[in-house]
Amino acid sequence: MSVISVVLGGFGASATRPEMLTSALIVGALSAAVLYYMVYSWKRRRMYALAAKIPGPTGLPVIGNVFDVVGDTEETVRKTMAQFRQYQPTYKYWLGPLLLVALTDPRDLEIVLNNYKYTDKSHFYNVFHPLGGQGVFNAAGDKWRRNRKIIAPAFNFNFLVQFVTIFHAMAMRLVGKMKARADGQSFDSYKLVELCTLDAIALTAMGVDVNAQDDDNSEWIRAIRRCFQITRERLVKPWLLPDATFYLTRDAKDQQKCLDIVNKFAHEVISRKKAEYRKAKAELDADPVASKAAAHEREQSRLRQDDDEDIGVRKKQTFLELLIERSESEDGCALTDVELRDEVVTLLIAGQDTTATDNCFNLLMLALHQDVQEAVHQELVDIMGEDPTTCPTYNDLNQMKHLERVIKETLRLYPSAPFIGRDLDHELDVTDYRLPAGCTVLLGLYGTHRLAEYWPEPDKFDPDRFLPERSVGRHPYAFVPFSGGPRNCVGQKYAMLQMKTILSTVIRHFQILPGKDCESMDKFRLQVDFSMTVAGGHNIRLVPRYAGLPERMRSL
Ligand code: HEM
């Protein structure tokens, strides 16, 4: 018997007692649900009223626009872009009871991002919590403020510049792998580049050579990549976003196993590095002259911390070693082993895929714009000479202005993080609307970067937009691939140094040509999980440039 017939028939003369009881229960439950919905809606009347003023696609009753974001991520990206084009710069949509407001106007981005009130990240970032725990990316409130203060000095040029030789060594490994693919056949550059950036971040964060480029099958590498994969899946399957549903799945158990491996490895490295630090310190303390000199160097180093010009004078250290040193020697900076682990794992997650995808998009842009590629190659030859194996100095990297413009223009068109989210717990006035309390704000960096008002012919690849004379007067929040304000990307200088080193090394060795299904920007099928990528691969072809060079220069 259907629910309706139970309800209608249940009150008829022929109804039995159990049927009447069932009917009464159903009617009671339905009435309670309707009453609950009415009270719930009444409480949210202000939200509905403010939301009604914001344009956006029409949704279905109760579930709203859920069908726009469920399913194939390529299709979701396609629909999101169409919505952006139709409603820009601000629009709303509903996912069930959740109101999302997409903001792309740079003035609105500034209002939200440049304000300490909105530094806590949206609830959907909970998918990142298993990896990176309460590290700087995930932490909120005072905990975030403290973490950020402790970690910030590690991202000063003065400290980062020592990593250039590591980036170059990893880039040369990549060139070695690419050499085997330089047969004119199309291949997905991401598969090689993501291992290169994993090697680079593991070495610079922990001082461990995981050598993913030669062996991507070790237990740790399999574990960390599986963790990335599970997080990606949660991001594109909305029903896995809440912990309540995710922790019922097999993936959650799998994630725990992999996390145990990743965390155990990190703890082993931390113990080893701490022991090394303490041993070196004990030896130093036993020698008063050396101890005084080290104290002087520490003080000088502290004074240099904010001076980006004064570089290359610190002794070589990894992020972890710097954090251990600060932890053990400075008031208020003591981090527990779990906190140290969370920071190190955070850097692995935040610094690997972002730079991998962006390096790959750069290779694609250079492949599609041969004139730009040749100009960049010429610039590299002018700065560093013909030998493609030379390691760039910091000054060399600084002079790579053309390459820098290419990287920025690529970040404009394909920002690794196309949007970021914040939850509003009170109303907020942006340029054209008052946003209701309780909504989630999506800051659409991708959309901002394509607003014609700020970027004429926005879909065109034109690195010269970033020439100083063409950048004058541009709104500071019109270009925000690394976000902005107090919670911006702490790793942006690292990212620029790493990408310049890897790209310049590859370009000096190979001419890059477009690969299968990547013959034009229109053909890219974009998808978003961890970062924005091309579904079907960042496919390129390579032609060695070193064929005409002396044998010494050809050895890779
Ligand atoms: C092309 C490369 C990169 C891009 C486009 C990028 C972009 C971003 C963006 C947009 C955010 C803000 C996220 C949010 O508020 O929701 C962010 C935060 C962050 N990024 Fe990056 N990132 C890149 C590379 C890196 C690297 C190489 C590292 C570290 C080595 C790093 C470490 C971080 C950290 C720790 C945060 C969190 C900062 C905080 O919450 O205070 N990023 N990044």
Side-chain angles (χ1 to χ4, degrees):
M1 192 182 281
S2 76
V3 170
I4 302 228
S5 56
V6 168
V7 172
L8 295 178
F11 290 110
S14 61
T16 61
R17 273 177 73 84
E19 277 177 341
M20 283 178 70
L21 193 63
T22 312
S23 309
L25 282 175
I26 292 173
V27 171
L30 285 176
S31 312
V34 170
L35 190 68
Y36 174 81
Y37 184 73
M38 283 166 66
V39 173
Y40 178 76
S41 304
W42 186 79
K43 280 191 182 161
R44 288 165 57 103
R45 65 194 184 289
R46 172 88 179 150
M47 176 189 248
Y48 296 139
L50 291 176
K53 296 182 181 159
I54 306 171
T58 318
L60 295 169
V62 185
I63 60 169
N65 310 90
V66 163
F67 287 121
D68 289 350
V69 297
V70 173
D72 187 346
T73 118
E74 274 175 71
E75 183 60 10
T76 305
V77 170
R78 206 187 51 70
K79 281 187 194 154
T80 309
M81 285 173 182
Q83 284 171 357
F84 161 70
R85 277 191 208 100
Q86 187 174 352
Y87 301 108
Q88 58 172 313
T90 307
Y91 66 96
K92 62 134 196 294
Y93 56 99
W94 292 92
L95 297 183
L98 186 65
L99 171 65
L100 292 113
V101 182
L103 300 177
T104 59
D105 185 323
R107 293 169 298 176
D108 294 345
L109 263 57
E110 183 169 17
I111 291 171
V112 178
L113 292 174
N114 201 14
N115 192 326
Y116 271 93
K117 272 192 210 156
Y118 311 113
T119 48
D120 290 352
K121 294 178 179 175
S122 175
H123 62 282
F124 66 79
Y125 284 72
N126 68 340
V127 299
F128 295 108
H129 288 192
L131 266 174
Q134 285 301 297
V136 69
F137 189 89
N138 293 330
D142 289 343
K143 169 89 175 142
W144 165 72
R145 252 179 278 273
R146 174 174 177 266
N147 289 8
R148 177 95 187 194
K149 200 169 154 222
I150 294 174
I151 202 172
F155 288 94
N156 189 290
F157 265 128
N158 178 31
F159 185 76
L160 293 177
V161 74
Q162 57 166 335
F163 294 154
V164 172
T165 47
I166 295 178
F167 296 152
H168 181 253
M170 296 308 105
M172 286 302 289
R173 262 189 209 164
L174 173 66
V175 163
K177 299 293 160 196
M178 285 183 157
K179 192 182 167 198
R181 309 301 299 263
D183 54 3
Q185 297 297 309
S186 172
F187 70 98
D188 182 2
S189 61
Y190 181 79
K191 293 200 170 127
L192 300 183
V193 175
E194 65 137 349
L195 298 174
C196 174
T197 57
L198 183 56
D199 276 349
I201 194 75
L203 261 171
T204 50
M206 304 187 289
V208 179
D209 188 358
V210 295
N211 202 358
Q213 297 189 81
D214 283 326
D215 174 15
D216 65 352
N217 205 26
S218 73
E219 187 186 45
W220 183 81
I221 290 172
R222 274 188 285 125
I224 196 145
R225 291 172 95 197
R226 179 75 183 119
C227 288
F228 288 167
Q229 189 192 7
I230 293 171
T231 309
R232 279 195 178 103
E233 273 171 27
R234 286 188 77 182
L235 284 166
V236 297
K237 293 180 180 162
W239 61 94
L240 292 180
L241 282 177
D243 286 349
T245 46
F246 173 67
Y247 282 102
L248 297 174
T249 66
R250 192 184 288 258
D251 276 358
K253 290 193 189 76
D254 213 8
Q255 173 174 272
Q256 194 49 53
K257 267 193 224 147
C258 294
L259 279 175
D260 290 345
I261 295 168
V262 171
N263 290 342
K264 183 167 167 270
F265 184 80
H267 279 295
E268 281 165 9
V269 178
I270 290 167
S271 303
R272 200 168 62 237
K273 296 284 173 191
K274 268 193 166 174
E276 282 168 17
Y277 173 81
R278 286 176 185 159
K279 184 166 172 266
K281 186 158 186 308
E283 280 168 10
L284 211 60
D285 288 348
D287 178 348
V289 180
S291 177
K292 211 170 157 192
H296 177 73
E297 165 58 17
R298 262 202 311 277
E299 178 57 12
Q300 292 301 307
S301 174
R302 192 185 63 74
L303 294 173
R304 281 195 300 265
Q305 218 96 104
D306 295 324
D307 182 3
D308 285 353
E309 297 304 311
D310 182 8
I311 47 164
V313 280
R314 289 183 66 105
K315 83 174 166 44
K316 281 204 187 338
Q317 267 183 327
T318 60
F319 286 126
L320 176 60
E321 284 162 337
L322 181 77
L323 292 180
I324 289 176
E325 185 186 295
R326 280 174 68 82
S327 235
E328 303 241 331
S329 60
E330 289 180 37
D331 290 343
C333 292
L335 295 172
T336 63
D337 281 6
V338 170
E339 287 175 320
L340 281 171
R341 179 202 74 197
D342 284 350
E343 294 307 345
V344 166
V345 175
T346 292
L347 296 182
L348 295 178
I349 314 161
Q352 191 258 338
D353 200 57
T354 44
T355 52
T357 50
D358 205 61
N359 274 313
C360 291
F361 270 117
N362 272 282
L363 294 177
L364 279 179
M365 289 300 100
L366 291 165
L368 291 174
H369 302 89
Q370 290 295 316
D371 51 335
V372 176
Q373 187 180 158
E374 284 323 302
V376 170
H377 180 247
Q378 190 55 51
E379 175 183 75
L380 299 176
V381 171
D382 291 347
I383 297 169
M384 301 179 64
E386 293 280 351
D387 183 350
T389 63
T390 322
C391 177
T393 64
Y394 172 74
N395 279 340
D396 292 338
L397 294 174
N398 235 351
Q399 287 178 57
M400 296 176 188
K401 297 293 179 202
H402 208 129
L403 179 59
E404 188 172 305
R405 291 199 294 277
V406 168
I407 294 174
K408 285 184 175 172
E409 176 67 344
T410 306
L411 276 167
R412 180 185 74 80
L413 287 166
Y414 304 105
S416 323
F419 61 85
I420 58 187
R422 300 285 185 265
D423 294 337
L424 294 189
D425 57 9
H426 52 265
E427 292 180 5
L428 171 70
D429 287 322
V430 291
T431 310
D432 293 323
Y433 303 99
R434 170 161 289 201
L435 307 182
C439 75
T440 294
V441 173
L442 291 181
L443 302 147
L445 314 184
Y446 177 93
T448 306
H449 291 175
R450 301 222 181 200
L451 287 174
E453 189 184 341
Y454 297 90
W455 307 101
E457 293 187 86
D459 297 334
K460 186 177 161 196
F461 177 76
D462 175 12
D464 286 350
R465 296 176 199 273
F466 288 96
L467 280 168
E469 59 275 24
R470 284 179 62 187
S471 306
V472 176
R474 186 176 294 142
H475 194 288
Y477 281 73
F479 180 62
V480 274
F482 297 105
S483 182
R487 199 136 196 191
N488 67 353
C489 173
V490 77
Q492 56 184 294
K493 290 177 188 166
Y494 176 106
M496 287 305 281
L497 282 182
Q498 186 246 56
M499 292 191 295
K500 273 187 169 179
T501 311
I502 292 179
L503 289 168
S504 61
T505 308
V506 172
I507 298 163
R508 285 158 70 213
H509 281 90
F510 305 103
Q511 183 191 4
I512 305 140
L513 300 168
K516 187 172 173 291
D517 296 335
C518 289
E519 294 87 357
S520 77
M521 288 160 73
D522 301 339
K523 281 194 160 189
F524 294 173
R525 291 181 292 120
L526 296 175
Q527 63 177 18
V528 180
D529 42 51
F530 238 34
S531 309
M532 176 179 274
T533 53
V534 181
H538 296 244
N539 301 330
I540 54 169
R541 289 174 292 131
L542 296 174
V543 177
R545 288 187 194 271
Y546 48 82
L549 293 175
E551 185 61 35
R552 181 185 64 78
M553 296 185 186
R554 273 188 256 160
S555 57
L556 297 175

Short mmCIF file of all heavy atoms in Angstrom, two decimals, residues 161-207:
data_model
loop_
_atom_site.label_atom_id
_atom_site.label_comp_id
_atom_site.label_asym_id
_atom_site.label_seq_id
_atom_site.Cartn_x
_atom_site.Cartn_y
_atom_site.Cartn_z
N VAL A 161 66.55 31.16 -1.61
CA VAL A 161 67.48 31.18 -2.73
C VAL A 161 68.43 29.97 -2.72
O VAL A 161 68.85 29.49 -3.76
CB VAL A 161 68.23 32.53 -2.75
CG1 VAL A 161 69.25 32.61 -1.66
CG2 VAL A 161 68.83 32.78 -4.10
N GLN A 162 68.68 29.43 -1.52
CA GLN A 162 69.55 28.25 -1.42
C GLN A 162 68.94 27.03 -2.13
O GLN A 162 69.63 26.06 -2.44
CB GLN A 162 69.76 27.91 0.06
CG GLN A 162 68.43 27.69 0.75
CD GLN A 162 68.54 27.02 2.10
OE1 GLN A 162 69.50 26.31 2.38
NE2 GLN A 162 67.55 27.24 2.93
N PHE A 163 67.61 27.07 -2.40
CA PHE A 163 66.96 25.92 -3.01
C PHE A 163 67.16 25.85 -4.53
O PHE A 163 66.81 24.85 -5.15
CB PHE A 163 65.45 25.94 -2.72
CG PHE A 163 65.09 25.75 -1.27
CD1 PHE A 163 63.91 26.26 -0.77
CD2 PHE A 163 65.92 25.04 -0.40
CE1 PHE A 163 63.56 26.09 0.56
CE2 PHE A 163 65.58 24.87 0.93
CZ PHE A 163 64.40 25.38 1.42
N VAL A 164 67.70 26.95 -5.11
CA VAL A 164 67.79 26.97 -6.58
C VAL A 164 68.62 25.79 -7.09
O VAL A 164 68.27 25.14 -8.08
CB VAL A 164 68.36 28.33 -7.07
CG1 VAL A 164 68.65 28.28 -8.56
CG2 VAL A 164 67.38 29.45 -6.76
N THR A 165 69.71 25.45 -6.37
CA THR A 165 70.54 24.33 -6.85
C THR A 165 69.76 23.02 -6.77
O THR A 165 69.91 22.14 -7.63
CB THR A 165 71.85 24.22 -6.04
OG1 THR A 165 71.51 24.30 -4.66
CG2 THR A 165 72.84 25.30 -6.40
N ILE A 166 68.92 22.90 -5.75
CA ILE A 166 68.09 21.68 -5.65
C ILE A 166 67.08 21.64 -6.81
O ILE A 166 66.92 20.63 -7.49
CB ILE A 166 67.33 21.64 -4.30
CG1 ILE A 166 68.32 21.52 -3.15
CG2 ILE A 166 66.30 20.50 -4.27
CD1 ILE A 166 67.68 21.53 -1.77
N PHE A 167 66.41 22.79 -7.04
CA PHE A 167 65.44 22.83 -8.14
C PHE A 167 66.12 22.45 -9.45
O PHE A 167 65.56 21.72 -10.26
CB PHE A 167 64.83 24.24 -8.29
CG PHE A 167 64.01 24.71 -7.12
CD1 PHE A 167 63.89 26.07 -6.84
CD2 PHE A 167 63.35 23.81 -6.30
CE1 PHE A 167 63.13 26.52 -5.78
CE2 PHE A 167 62.59 24.26 -5.21
CZ PHE A 167 62.48 25.61 -4.95
N HIS A 168 67.34 22.98 -9.62
CA HIS A 168 68.03 22.72 -10.88
C HIS A 168 68.39 21.23 -11.00
O HIS A 168 68.20 20.61 -12.06
CB HIS A 168 69.29 23.59 -11.01
CG HIS A 168 70.00 23.36 -12.30
ND1 HIS A 168 71.19 22.69 -12.38
CD2 HIS A 168 69.66 23.69 -13.58
CE1 HIS A 168 71.56 22.61 -13.65
NE2 HIS A 168 70.65 23.22 -14.39
N ALA A 169 68.87 20.65 -9.90
CA ALA A 169 69.23 19.22 -9.95
C ALA A 169 67.99 18.39 -10.29
O ALA A 169 68.06 17.44 -11.08
CB ALA A 169 69.84 18.80 -8.62
N MET A 170 66.85 18.76 -9.70
CA MET A 170 65.62 18.00 -9.98
C MET A 170 65.16 18.23 -11.41
O MET A 170 64.64 17.34 -12.08
CB MET A 170 64.51 18.40 -8.98
CG MET A 170 64.81 18.06 -7.54
SD MET A 170 65.30 16.33 -7.31
CE MET A 170 67.07 16.48 -7.05
N ALA A 171 65.37 19.47 -11.90
CA ALA A 171 65.00 19.79 -13.28
C ALA A 171 65.87 19.00 -14.26
O ALA A 171 65.40 18.55 -15.31
CB ALA A 171 65.13 21.28 -13.54
N MET A 172 67.15 18.80 -13.89
CA MET A 172 68.02 18.01 -14.77
C MET A 172 67.59 16.54 -14.80
O MET A 172 67.67 15.88 -15.83
CB MET A 172 69.49 18.15 -14.33
CG MET A 172 70.10 19.50 -14.66
SD MET A 172 70.06 19.90 -16.42
CE MET A 172 71.26 18.76 -17.07
N ARG A 173 67.11 16.05 -13.64
CA ARG A 173 66.55 14.68 -13.64
C ARG A 173 65.36 14.62 -14.58
O ARG A 173 65.18 13.66 -15.34
CB ARG A 173 66.03 14.33 -12.23
CG ARG A 173 66.97 13.52 -11.41
CD ARG A 173 66.27 13.04 -10.14
NE ARG A 173 67.25 12.88 -9.08
CZ ARG A 173 66.95 12.78 -7.79
NH1 ARG A 173 65.70 12.79 -7.40
NH2 ARG A 173 67.90 12.62 -6.90
N LEU A 174 64.54 15.67 -14.53
CA LEU A 174 63.35 15.71 -15.40
C LEU A 174 63.78 15.72 -16.87
O LEU A 174 63.21 14.98 -17.69
CB LEU A 174 62.53 16.97 -15.08
CG LEU A 174 61.34 17.27 -15.99
CD1 LEU A 174 60.26 16.20 -15.85
CD2 LEU A 174 60.73 18.64 -15.68
N VAL A 175 64.80 16.52 -17.16
CA VAL A 175 65.30 16.58 -18.54
C VAL A 175 65.76 15.19 -18.99
O VAL A 175 65.50 14.75 -20.12
CB VAL A 175 66.44 17.62 -18.65
CG1 VAL A 175 67.26 17.43 -19.91
CG2 VAL A 175 65.86 19.04 -18.60
N GLY A 176 66.41 14.47 -18.07
CA GLY A 176 66.85 13.10 -18.37
C GLY A 176 65.65 12.23 -18.76
O GLY A 176 65.70 11.46 -19.72
N LYS A 177 64.55 12.35 -17.98
CA LYS A 177 63.35 11.55 -18.28
C LYS A 177 62.72 12.01 -19.59
O LYS A 177 62.24 11.22 -20.38
CB LYS A 177 62.31 11.69 -17.15
CG LYS A 177 62.79 11.21 -15.81
CD LYS A 177 63.02 9.71 -15.83
CE LYS A 177 63.94 9.29 -14.69
NZ LYS A 177 64.50 7.96 -14.84
N MET A 178 62.76 13.34 -19.81
CA MET A 178 62.14 13.88 -21.04
C MET A 178 62.93 13.45 -22.27
O MET A 178 62.37 13.27 -23.35
CB MET A 178 62.05 15.40 -20.96
CG MET A 178 60.95 15.88 -20.03
SD MET A 178 60.85 17.68 -20.04
CE MET A 178 59.17 17.95 -19.49
N LYS A 179 64.24 13.32 -22.08
CA LYS A 179 65.09 12.93 -23.21
C LYS A 179 64.56 11.62 -23.83
O LYS A 179 64.52 11.46 -25.04
CB LYS A 179 66.53 12.76 -22.73
CG LYS A 179 67.53 12.65 -23.82
CD LYS A 179 68.91 12.43 -23.22
CE LYS A 179 69.89 12.01 -24.29
NZ LYS A 179 71.08 11.39 -23.73
N ALA A 180 64.13 10.71 -22.93
CA ALA A 180 63.62 9.43 -23.42
C ALA A 180 62.29 9.60 -24.17
O ALA A 180 61.86 8.71 -24.90
CB ALA A 180 63.42 8.48 -22.23
N ARG A 181 61.62 10.75 -23.97
CA ARG A 181 60.33 10.97 -24.65
C ARG A 181 60.49 11.94 -25.83
O ARG A 181 59.49 12.29 -26.47
CB ARG A 181 59.30 11.57 -23.69
CG ARG A 181 59.14 10.84 -22.37
CD ARG A 181 58.73 9.39 -22.54
NE ARG A 181 57.45 9.23 -23.19
CZ ARG A 181 56.31 9.05 -22.55
NH1 ARG A 181 56.29 8.97 -21.24
NH2 ARG A 181 55.18 8.90 -23.21
N ALA A 182 61.72 12.39 -26.07
CA ALA A 182 61.91 13.41 -27.12
C ALA A 182 62.04 12.76 -28.49
O ALA A 182 63.03 12.96 -29.21
CB ALA A 182 63.14 14.26 -26.79
N ASP A 183 61.02 11.99 -28.85
CA ASP A 183 61.04 11.29 -30.14
C ASP A 183 59.95 11.82 -31.06
O ASP A 183 59.54 11.16 -32.00
CB ASP A 183 60.84 9.78 -29.89
CG ASP A 183 59.57 9.52 -29.07
OD1 ASP A 183 58.85 10.50 -28.76
OD2 ASP A 183 59.30 8.35 -28.73
N GLY A 184 59.42 12.99 -30.70
CA GLY A 184 58.37 13.57 -31.55
C GLY A 184 56.98 13.04 -31.24
O GLY A 184 56.00 13.51 -31.81
N GLN A 185 56.89 12.04 -30.34
CA GLN A 185 55.57 11.49 -30.00
C GLN A 185 54.94 12.30 -28.87
O GLN A 185 55.64 12.78 -27.97
CB GLN A 185 55.70 10.03 -29.51
CG GLN A 185 56.25 9.06 -30.53
CD GLN A 185 55.33 8.94 -31.75
OE1 GLN A 185 54.13 8.72 -31.60
NE2 GLN A 185 55.89 9.13 -32.94
N SER A 186 53.61 12.38 -28.90
CA SER A 186 52.88 13.12 -27.88
C SER A 186 52.88 12.36 -26.55
O SER A 186 52.75 11.13 -26.53
CB SER A 186 51.44 13.32 -28.36
OG SER A 186 50.65 13.87 -27.35
N PHE A 187 53.08 13.07 -25.44
CA PHE A 187 52.96 12.44 -24.11
C PHE A 187 52.44 13.46 -23.11
O PHE A 187 52.53 14.67 -23.35
CB PHE A 187 54.31 11.84 -23.65
CG PHE A 187 55.34 12.89 -23.30
CD1 PHE A 187 55.56 13.26 -21.98
CD2 PHE A 187 56.08 13.50 -24.29
CE1 PHE A 187 56.49 14.23 -21.65
CE2 PHE A 187 57.02 14.48 -23.98
CZ PHE A 187 57.23 14.84 -22.66
N ASP A 188 51.93 12.96 -21.98
CA ASP A 188 51.37 13.84 -20.96
C ASP A 188 52.50 14.32 -20.04
O ASP A 188 53.04 13.54 -19.25
CB ASP A 188 50.31 13.05 -20.15
CG ASP A 188 49.65 13.91 -19.08
OD1 ASP A 188 49.98 15.11 -19.00
OD2 ASP A 188 48.80 13.37 -18.35
N SER A 189 52.84 15.61 -20.16
CA SER A 189 53.97 16.14 -19.38
C SER A 189 53.72 16.04 -17.87
O SER A 189 54.65 15.92 -17.08
CB SER A 189 54.24 17.60 -19.77
OG SER A 189 53.11 18.40 -19.49
N TYR A 190 52.44 16.07 -17.47
CA TYR A 190 52.13 16.05 -16.04
C TYR A 190 52.72 14.82 -15.35
O TYR A 190 53.20 14.90 -14.22
CB TYR A 190 50.60 16.09 -15.84
CG TYR A 190 50.19 16.11 -14.39
CD1 TYR A 190 50.24 17.30 -13.66
CD2 TYR A 190 49.78 14.96 -13.74
CE1 TYR A 190 49.89 17.33 -12.31
CE2 TYR A 190 49.42 14.98 -12.41
CZ TYR A 190 49.48 16.17 -11.69
OH TYR A 190 49.14 16.18 -10.37
N LYS A 191 52.71 13.69 -16.08
CA LYS A 191 53.17 12.44 -15.46
C LYS A 191 54.64 12.53 -15.05
O LYS A 191 55.06 11.89 -14.10
CB LYS A 191 52.93 11.27 -16.40
CG LYS A 191 51.44 11.01 -16.59
CD LYS A 191 51.14 9.63 -17.10
CE LYS A 191 49.65 9.39 -17.02
NZ LYS A 191 49.05 8.96 -18.25
N LEU A 192 55.42 13.30 -15.80
CA LEU A 192 56.84 13.45 -15.43
C LEU A 192 57.03 14.62 -14.47
O LEU A 192 57.78 14.52 -13.49
CB LEU A 192 57.69 13.70 -16.69
CG LEU A 192 57.68 12.61 -17.77
CD1 LEU A 192 58.64 12.97 -18.89
CD2 LEU A 192 58.09 11.26 -17.16
N VAL A 193 56.34 15.74 -14.75
CA VAL A 193 56.57 16.96 -13.97
C VAL A 193 56.10 16.79 -12.52
O VAL A 193 56.75 17.28 -11.59
CB VAL A 193 55.89 18.18 -14.65
CG1 VAL A 193 56.03 19.42 -13.80
CG2 VAL A 193 56.50 18.43 -16.02
N GLU A 194 54.99 16.08 -12.30
CA GLU A 194 54.49 15.96 -10.91
C GLU A 194 55.50 15.19 -10.04
O GLU A 194 55.61 15.43 -8.85
CB GLU A 194 53.11 15.30 -10.85
CG GLU A 194 53.07 13.88 -11.30
CD GLU A 194 52.21 12.98 -10.39
OE1 GLU A 194 51.81 13.40 -9.30
OE2 GLU A 194 51.98 11.82 -10.80
N LEU A 195 56.27 14.28 -10.67
CA LEU A 195 57.28 13.55 -9.88
C LEU A 195 58.47 14.47 -9.59
O LEU A 195 59.09 14.40 -8.52
CB LEU A 195 57.73 12.29 -10.62
CG LEU A 195 56.60 11.27 -10.86
CD1 LEU A 195 57.08 10.12 -11.73
CD2 LEU A 195 56.06 10.73 -9.54
N CYS A 196 58.77 15.35 -10.55
CA CYS A 196 59.87 16.31 -10.36
C CYS A 196 59.53 17.27 -9.21
O CYS A 196 60.36 17.52 -8.33
CB CYS A 196 60.09 17.07 -11.67
SG CYS A 196 61.27 18.40 -11.54
N THR A 197 58.30 17.79 -9.20
CA THR A 197 57.95 18.74 -8.13
C THR A 197 57.83 18.02 -6.79
O THR A 197 58.08 18.61 -5.75
CB THR A 197 56.67 19.54 -8.45
OG1 THR A 197 55.59 18.64 -8.67
CG2 THR A 197 56.85 20.43 -9.65
N LEU A 198 57.47 16.74 -6.82
CA LEU A 198 57.43 15.97 -5.56
C LEU A 198 58.85 15.79 -5.02
O LEU A 198 59.11 16.00 -3.83
CB LEU A 198 56.76 14.60 -5.80
CG LEU A 198 56.57 13.71 -4.58
CD1 LEU A 198 55.77 14.41 -3.49
CD2 LEU A 198 55.86 12.41 -4.96
N ASP A 199 59.78 15.45 -5.90
CA ASP A 199 61.19 15.35 -5.48
C ASP A 199 61.67 16.67 -4.87
O ASP A 199 62.32 16.71 -3.83
CB ASP A 199 62.09 15.03 -6.68
CG ASP A 199 62.14 13.53 -6.99
OD1 ASP A 199 61.67 12.75 -6.15
OD2 ASP A 199 62.66 13.17 -8.07
N ALA A 200 61.32 17.78 -5.57
CA ALA A 200 61.81 19.10 -5.14
C ALA A 200 61.23 19.47 -3.77
O ALA A 200 61.96 19.93 -2.88
CB ALA A 200 61.46 20.16 -6.18
N ILE A 201 59.94 19.26 -3.58
CA ILE A 201 59.33 19.69 -2.32
C ILE A 201 59.78 18.78 -1.16
O ILE A 201 60.00 19.26 -0.05
CB ILE A 201 57.78 19.80 -2.42
CG1 ILE A 201 57.19 20.57 -1.24
CG2 ILE A 201 57.10 18.46 -2.50
CD1 ILE A 201 57.38 22.03 -1.28
N ALA A 202 59.97 17.48 -1.44
CA ALA A 202 60.42 16.59 -0.36
C ALA A 202 61.84 16.96 0.08
O ALA A 202 62.15 16.97 1.27
CB ALA A 202 60.36 15.14 -0.82
N LEU A 203 62.68 17.32 -0.89
CA LEU A 203 64.05 17.69 -0.55
C LEU A 203 64.12 19.01 0.20
O LEU A 203 64.85 19.16 1.18
CB LEU A 203 64.88 17.82 -1.84
CG LEU A 203 65.76 16.63 -2.19
CD1 LEU A 203 66.34 16.79 -3.58
CD2 LEU A 203 66.89 16.45 -1.18
N THR A 204 63.33 19.98 -0.25
CA THR A 204 63.41 21.30 0.36
C THR A 204 62.64 21.37 1.69
O THR A 204 63.02 22.11 2.58
CB THR A 204 62.89 22.40 -0.59
OG1 THR A 204 61.61 22.00 -1.10
CG2 THR A 204 63.83 22.63 -1.75
N ALA A 205 61.57 20.57 1.80
CA ALA A 205 60.80 20.61 3.06
C ALA A 205 61.46 19.76 4.13
O ALA A 205 61.55 20.16 5.29
CB ALA A 205 59.37 20.14 2.82
N MET A 206 61.92 18.55 3.75
CA MET A 206 62.41 17.60 4.77
C MET A 206 63.90 17.29 4.64
O MET A 206 64.47 16.68 5.54
CB MET A 206 61.65 16.27 4.67
CG MET A 206 60.15 16.38 4.77
SD MET A 206 59.39 14.74 4.83
CE MET A 206 59.62 14.15 3.17
N GLY A 207 64.47 17.61 3.49
CA GLY A 207 65.87 17.23 3.28
C GLY A 207 66.01 15.76 2.91
O GLY A 207 67.06 15.15 3.11
#
